[in-house]
Amino acid sequence: MERKEKFVLWFDEIGIDDIPLVGGKNASLGEMYQNLTKKGVRVPNGFAITAHAYCYLLEKSGVVDDLKRALRGLNVQDVDELANVGKRARDIILSCAFPPELQVEIAQGYHRLCKEYGTKDLDVAVRSSATAEDLPEASFAGQQETFLNIRGVHELMAACKRCFASLFTNRAIAYRAEKKFDHFQVYLSIGVQKMVRSDLACSGVMFTLDTETGFPNVVFVTGSYGLGENIVQGAVNPDEFFVFKPTLVEGYSPIIDKRLGEKATKVVYAHEGSKTIKKIQTPASDQKKFCLSDEEVLKLSEWGVAIEDYYTHKKGKWMPMDIEWAKDGRTQDLFIVQARPESVQSRKNRNVLQTYKLVQKGKVLAMGKSVGSKISQGPAHVIEEVHDIGKFRKGEVLITEMTDPDWVPIMKIASAIVTNRGGRTSHAAIVSRELGIPCIVGTNDATEVVKTGQKVTVSCAEGEHGILYDGYLKFKVDELDMVHVPQTKTKLMMNLGNPDDAFELSSLPNEGVGLAREEFIVNEYIKIHPLALIHFAELTDAHARAQIEHLTAGYKNKTQFFVDKLAMGVSLIAAAFYPKDVILRFSDFKTNEYANLIGGTQFEPKEENPMLGWRGASRYYSEGYKDGFALECQAIKKVREEFGLKNLKVMVPMCRTPAEGRKVLAEMKKNGLVRGKDSLEVYVMCEVPSNVILAEEFCEIFDGFSIGSNDLTQMTLGVDRDSALVADIYDERSDAVKALLKHVITIAKQHKKKIGICGDAPSTYPEIAKFLVDCGIDSISLSPDAIVKTRLLVAEHEQKKK
């Protein structure tokens, strides 16, 4: 018998070229089972009931004409008509009796699988696999049904019939009509696969790129307890992990970010042996810890890279993947249960940069996680139940608890989507990316704080947090074709504070990061004074103690919280621009700013003029702070040695004398950071006149300079840059400041030391950028919004100089 006439094909008999026979889902499982299990990727075995079996069932039952009559003239835009026709089509298939010869082959396949796994009644997953499903150009997966924990031949037959009927779910009918697929040229195959008991452990989704920006060098893993429906449907806010691919394959352990999800509920079986499922509360102790160990996250990521590499090699082009995983609670083994090509970011042209920017402030109604980076607006429409979707109108903003595939008809006409629950791999997030509309997930209370008809603005253009505003706020959209951005001899780098912006901003034309600010990471990721963690037992502020206990939940060693959070914030930036240089400035808080951190008042003196006081280098070697500086060093050591991000360099701010420089280097060495070891470069900020006057001595100590024009101007002109009373005197274009700039650049070049600038002057004043180029500066580090216009300016100026 020819393969195309078989009712059953095993996973080791099928591959990705067999989509016409077994559908996209089964073809992918077969491809992985045949080719990736030998590379250590665990895929549960099983078999496919072929599309031929589906056609055979319809033909022998004589129902094809009945189905055609039921679907004839259907208007899929009419939600009520679609529901009636869909039910009629499904009932037609459910009324069919399986031909005996088909029943026999399915039963034989099940018994063989039971024998392979050494049990009489093996629990299996029964999944639909349409012959046009999971193609990059037709990627709204999840349109047909899946049945879990099926046991015995009788249950299996019933589940198979319901799978065949699910080819005519309302959403599948509407989707085929939209994509112009003939209903009778799309067939259904069924996958019967050993069940992974993730109800007793956890499950999730991973992508081999960043789903929001298309950044290609990470694996993004999400996970939650119980069966996978919770994450895919967006019923929970899952744990999230980013793993950096380039150093993972070199043997490092680069979990460069991990964020604890609420995981408030989980889906389990109603009782042992049941095929019905129920949703229960996740125990509080489990909610407060990650559902995967670091070792498991790294193992899944290695498999993700192996799957991506395999498909990329096979297809001859980059193939980022969307992969479902599950952990078996009985054996504690991890498994891959599905993989398909990622279908949104991989189709985008990354050479065209579209930037949305809010130019007006407004009242915040709700916040969650942003999906995409766009801004949209419209009248809100709060819908609690799917049976009310017929009331939704084109251009409205959908506000709801969560979505599933039944909501797709109205999601396609929404201007934006906001959900109470879900993470960045939930159904709402995935479909929003497909549609290219902004979406905010996990707001918790959007349906309560917004009223139907209320005018709202949905902004996903402000980093990790998506914000829902009251009213229609003004925003602008800039487009840039980066193919036509010229190269420059002077290196143009970027100033960056927020790690959540790093993946997106790395696509701008740049030569790395000239200034990564620690302060933002400490303020936003950590929030706690390092000495309050080190001396937690002696902390007298009860409120601060309670805040610290809450923020460091799950950490026995509270100082490790500081190290881990700082390392992850820094590594997101270093990874985004890898292998280009990323220069991190050690903490440059002033005493009043340190005091504002949780627990900070106990450890900070009061100074009359903190700007000129105990800041920068003077803190790092002093008894009053050097233990805190040690934590900074440990974090940097972790980024370079554990994550493998050797492109990270460091910079010492406010180093007033060469003697201070030597003391700081000695403290760094005590904490395992040795200048010159493993290509570690240490720069000094040039921001006080002594740095210029004694430039030759500083050249002997450091690898180079980065000019801080803000402070250098303040110190040169003796002007408090925060005072409005003398603001008219403060000017980086002053001849005195320019004389210092020229002098220090000349000295650095003579001593073959690198010199750049990270202050605001060249971002603000084109004439300063030109002046620095004329002086021969090596690099100019700019604010992201200035990097393109300054590149054009510098390129033109360099051409004129030739």
Side-chain angles (χ1 to χ4, degrees), residues 488-492 745 749 757 762 766-780 790-791 793-799 801:
T488 57
K489 181 184 173 187
T490 309
K491 289 173 69 174
L492 296 182
I745 293 169
K749 302 297 279 184
I757 186 168
E767 60 267 45
I768 290 290
K770 292 178 185 178
F771 171 75
L772 292 166
V773 170
D774 291 339
C775 291
I777 200 164
D778 293 317
S779 65
I780 299 175
T790 308
R791 181 173 287 273
L793 174 89
V794 169
E796 183 183 359
H797 189 64
E798 286 179 344
Q799 279 296 114
K801 284 182 65 185

Side-chain angles (χ1 to χ4, degrees), residues 278-297:
K278 65 179 180 179
K279 185 179 294 185
I280 62 172
Q281 287 295 119
T282 305
S285 58
D286 285 345
Q287 289 183 43
K288 291 176 182 176
K289 64 184 182 184
F290 290 101
C291 65
L292 290 169
S293 68
D294 285 359
E295 292 74 18
E296 289 170 330
V297 172

Side-chain angles (χ1 to χ4, degrees), residues 372-666:
S373 57
K374 293 182 179 178
I375 299 172
S376 190
Q377 45 200 202
H381 196 142
V382 180
I383 299 186
E384 306 266 359
E385 302 291 340
V386 71
H387 58 70
D388 290 326
I389 66 175
K391 301 172 185 176
F392 192 83
R393 296 292 171 262
K394 185 174 183 178
E396 292 180 328
V397 174
L398 174 61
I399 314 281
T400 188
E401 184 73 13
M402 56 184 249
T403 67
D404 61 34
D406 289 327
W407 293 72
V408 168
I410 65 166
M411 295 170 82
K412 289 188 291 189
I413 59 173
S415 61
I417 296 169
V418 180
T419 67
N420 287 352
R421 292 191 280 160
R424 289 199 180 97
T425 54
S426 65
H427 178 268
I430 290 168
V431 173
S432 296
R433 289 187 204 103
E434 290 271 353
L435 297 170
I437 59 174
C439 173
I440 304 173
V441 293
T443 62
N444 292 318
D445 61 355
T447 56
E448 297 167 26
V449 299
V450 180
K451 299 286 184 283
T452 293
Q454 183 175 353
K455 293 178 178 178
V456 294
T457 296
V458 177
S459 173
C460 292
E462 297 168 72
E464 178 199 4
H465 299 296
I467 305 175
L468 180 66
Y469 292 99
D470 187 27
Y472 292 165
L473 305 184
K474 292 178 183 175
F475 66 93
K476 65 175 184 175
V477 186
D478 295 324
E479 277 200 355
L480 170 69
D481 185 349
M482 289 183 289
V483 171
H484 301 120
V485 175
Q487 294 299 308
T488 57
K489 181 184 173 187
T490 309
K491 289 173 69 174
L492 296 182
M493 306 175 82
M494 200 179 301
N495 296 338
L496 194 56
N498 187 354
D500 293 326
D501 294 337
F503 290 168
E504 180 75 45
L505 294 175
S506 68
S507 62
L508 288 169
N510 71 84
E511 272 78 52
V513 175
L515 171 63
R517 300 183 186 91
E518 243 188 60
E519 297 80 49
F520 185 95
I521 300 168
V522 174
N523 260 330
E524 298 296 320
Y525 279 45
I526 300 171
K527 303 180 180 4
I528 306 166
H529 195 291
L531 297 181
L533 293 166
I534 294 169
H535 302 292
F536 182 72
E538 296 100 68
L539 197 60
T540 55
D541 184 337
H543 180 61
R545 288 179 68 89
Q547 286 180 288
I548 293 170
E549 288 285 16
H550 174 71
L551 287 169
T552 61
Y555 275 88
K556 291 178 183 175
N557 180 349
K558 297 195 183 306
T559 58
Q560 194 61 43
F561 170 80
F562 186 96
V563 173
D564 288 353
K565 288 290 185 183
L566 181 55
M568 287 178 187
V570 170
S571 64
L572 282 172
I573 300 173
F577 292 84
Y578 184 89
K580 300 168 186 172
D581 284 356
V582 169
I583 303 171
L584 175 74
R585 185 179 68 193
F586 285 120
S587 60
D588 192 24
F589 285 120
K590 295 174 276 294
T591 50
N592 57 326
E593 294 167 336
Y594 265 120
N596 288 332
L597 294 171
I598 296 169
T601 52
Q602 188 170 325
F603 303 97
E604 293 297 327
K606 283 191 167 56
E607 294 187 286
E608 288 301 317
N609 193 343
M611 184 77 79
L612 294 175
W614 192 38
R615 58 180 284 211
S618 61
R619 295 182 70 95
Y620 307 153
Y621 56 84
S622 71
E623 289 300 324
Y625 185 76
K626 67 179 183 180
D627 291 343
F629 181 64
L631 299 186
E632 295 183 39
C633 292
Q634 287 172 38
I636 291 159
K637 195 168 185 284
K638 182 170 185 171
V639 173
R640 288 176 55 82
E641 296 181 9
E642 187 176 319
F643 300 163
L645 293 161
K646 301 287 174 68
N647 62 320
L648 181 67
K649 321 294 183 184
V650 293
M651 183 156 62
V652 180
M654 201 51 63
C655 185
R656 294 157 169 119
T657 69
E660 274 202 314
R662 292 187 182 92
K663 288 178 182 178
V664 171
L665 290 174

